[in-house]
Amino acid sequence: MWKFTVRRIGIMIPQIALLSILIFIMAKMMPGDALSGLVDPNIDLATMEAMRQRLGLDNPWYIQYMDWVKALFQGDLGQSFRFKMPVTELISQRLVNTFWLSLVTLILTYLIAIPLGITSGRYNDSWADRLITGYTYVGFAAPLFIFALVMVWIFGFQLGWFPTGGSVTPGLSPGSFEYVLSKINHLLLPSLSMALIATVSTVQYLRSEIIDTKQKEFVVTARAKGASESRVYNRHILRNSLLPIAAFFGYEITGLIGGTIFIESIFGYPGMGQLFLESISLRDFSVVTSVVLIFGIAAILGALLSDIILSIVDPRIRIK
């Protein structure tokens, strides 16, 4: 187990290095540079060039990349010209909101997906299975941003059950009971919107696993030995069907990255996704590179987590 984990981490390190190079090169291809927006646009060209030389922006890209990596290890992500503050401080504020949004979404996803998947798989070809399968087909076909817009229009504007923007009601004291309740209230609608779409793949996967496991030889043998149907289902079918779902957990984290970008933009939720879109539209060089790097590392860590969980539940996949 430890050999497998260390080997996967060894693969992950060059992946992150390659990711950082690609992000830096693509960011350099954007119009402008890290100096754009930090200075008065009416400043003369000579002064602008002098500042670029002082900041090393006229150096070859690989030298600039090495300087950028050194700054990363020192915790310096640069300066945001849009927010007039260090990128490290800006991201630390937004990252907390995205973390809670992702966590609540994951919890809701599994609370919805596991009962539906179990029901659909155990009673396949029943009316309940047809209803659940129909829901998953609609979920696969519905784009997340369209579904989120419908949710905010119905439950936010028409019914008024949830707030339609922000992460907390202004004026509340941080740490107070009202503040916590407001945070939860602002989280529920965007996280539920994302979970209702994210859950469909887990439901279909769990349904297929249960149906496939019901036909395995060890299940037939258990029934032939006179085991009760409840024992066969709970001890053999359900137990073996749920194991692969645990490995699916890491990839759910990866899927949340793209989801938060749309959800936070639609709901005006101040997280990493909204910050990413704002930074691209304003060509905020330092923020774009930092956010994309964090998203990329999160995706790689999610894949690593899935491989480790899968190696625990199914030792056969471990590399010898």
Side-chain angles (χ1 to χ4, degrees):
M1 176 62 197
W2 286 110
K3 291 182 179 180
F4 174 81
T5 304
V6 171
R7 188 176 289 110
R8 280 293 288 110
I9 293 175
I11 296 173
M12 183 185 70
I13 293 175
Q15 288 178 334
I16 294 177
L18 179 59
L19 173 68
S20 66
I21 294 174
L22 293 175
I23 290 172
F24 187 82
I25 292 175
M26 287 188 291
K28 293 298 291 181
M29 296 171 65
M30 293 173 60
D33 54 30
L35 194 61
S36 300
L38 289 175
V39 297
D40 187 348
N42 298 320
I43 196 171
D44 61 279
L45 293 178
T47 305
M48 183 78 75
E49 288 302 321
M51 295 182 67
R52 281 198 169 89
Q53 290 179 5
R54 189 174 73 250
L55 294 174
L57 297 178
D58 59 340
N59 292 331
W61 72 268
Y62 51 87
I63 296 179
Q64 293 185 50
Y65 169 76
M66 295 304 299
D67 293 337
W68 179 62
V69 171
K70 290 177 184 177
L72 286 179
F73 280 106
Q74 295 172 0
D76 181 12
L77 299 177
Q79 187 81 10
S80 169
F81 78 81
R82 165 67 174 81
F83 296 93
K84 308 299 181 184
M85 62 189 300
V87 177
T88 305
E89 183 180 345
L90 175 62
I91 286 180
S92 64
Q93 296 174 357
R94 300 295 189 98
L95 191 59
V96 174
N97 288 335
T98 298
F99 169 78
W100 286 114
L101 176 62
S102 302
L103 179 62
V104 174
T105 300
L106 274 176
I107 293 173
L108 291 175
T109 297
Y110 281 97
L111 286 178
I112 297 170
I114 291 179
L116 290 182
I118 290 174
T119 303
S120 184
R122 183 171 186 177
Y123 305 106
N124 60 301
D125 296 329
S126 65
W127 64 267
D129 176 41
R130 293 187 181 94
L131 286 176
I132 295 171
T133 303
Y135 155 67
T136 60
Y137 288 161
V138 173
F140 278 123
L144 176 60
F145 64 93
I146 297 295
F147 182 75
L149 286 172
V150 173
M151 292 286 286
V152 74
W153 182 74
I154 295 176
F155 297 103
F157 291 108
Q158 297 298 316
L159 299 177
W161 292 355
F162 298 97
T164 58
S167 63
V168 68
T169 302
L172 296 179
S173 301
S176 65
F177 182 69
E178 292 80 7
Y179 182 88
V180 175
L181 283 181
S182 178
K183 276 282 190 181
I184 295 173
N185 195 31
H186 282 75
L187 269 175
L188 285 177
L189 188 57
S191 59
L192 182 61
S193 301
M194 191 156 48
L196 287 173
I197 295 296
T199 194
V200 296
S201 57
T202 306
V203 171
Q204 284 282 19
Y205 188 69
L206 182 55
R207 176 184 182 274
S208 300
E209 283 291 324
I210 292 176
I211 294 174
D212 182 62
T213 305
K214 286 195 296 187
Q215 303 172 10
K216 294 291 180 65
E217 291 184 2
F218 65 89
V219 174
V220 176
T221 302
R223 286 197 176 101
K225 289 182 177 179
S228 64
E229 188 62 28
S230 61
R231 179 181 176 85
V232 170
Y233 184 78
N234 294 325
R235 293 290 300 273
H236 299 284
I237 298 175
L238 185 59
R239 182 178 179 182
N240 285 277
S241 299
L242 285 175
L243 290 180
I245 297 298
F248 210 58
F249 175 78
Y251 292 105
E252 293 280 6
I253 297 176
T254 305
L256 286 176
I257 294 174
T260 54
I261 294 175
F262 293 110
I263 289 294
E264 290 177 2
S265 178
I266 292 170
F267 286 89
Y269 190 81
M272 295 285 285
Q274 187 187 56
L275 177 64
F276 172 68
L277 291 179
E278 290 177 353
S279 302
I280 288 181
S281 62
L282 296 169
R283 298 197 297 272
D284 200 342
F285 179 88
S286 300
V287 179
V288 170
T289 54
S290 301
V291 172
V292 175
L293 181 63
I294 291 173
F295 279 164
I297 292 175
I300 292 173
L301 289 176
L304 172 66
L305 181 61
S306 288
D307 288 345
I308 292 175
I309 295 175
L310 187 57
S311 70
I312 293 173
V313 301
D314 188 359
R316 293 172 299 176
I317 73 153
R318 297 178 194 169
I319 303 173
K320 302 298 182 182

